Amino acid sequence: MPQRAIVRRGDLAQFAREPPAEPAISGGAAVALTLAGAGFAAWTAAMIGADEPNARFERFYGAMREGQLLILADVVGSQE
């Protein structure tokens, strides 16, 4: 029995002349899927970023391990 091609040579030419009348995914579904993917990507990036240690606080890590408290205050650089 001869092998049959899934896509015949004439199929692509016919599709170029006459595209399908209805798209496979409607506009609303495409927008919803895009927003869901963007939201998932943002959430994933936030979780990865939250796991990274802050380089600005490295000098305090030893004291925090010893049980000392770290109090943060928003001051001008000259007032440190």
Side-chain angles (χ1 to χ4, degrees):
M1 183 179 276
Q3 291 288 342
R4 187 173 173 147
I6 295 173
V7 178
R8 294 178 300 192
R9 209 178 285 188
D11 289 345
L12 187 58
Q14 181 182 0
F15 177 76
R17 286 191 307 267
E18 301 171 19
E22 296 180 19
I25 297 178
S26 67
V31 170
L33 287 172
T34 301
L35 291 176
F40 178 74
W43 175 77
T44 303
M47 293 297 107
I48 292 171
D51 193 39
E52 292 294 317
N54 191 337
R56 295 175 66 188
F57 299 140
E58 284 182 3
R59 61 183 172 167
F60 304 113
Y61 287 152
M64 288 189 294
R65 280 190 205 101
E66 294 173 3
Q68 296 180 12
L69 297 177
L70 175 63
I71 299 175
L72 301 175
D74 189 16
V75 296
V76 180
S78 61
Q79 295 179 346
E80 282 187 16

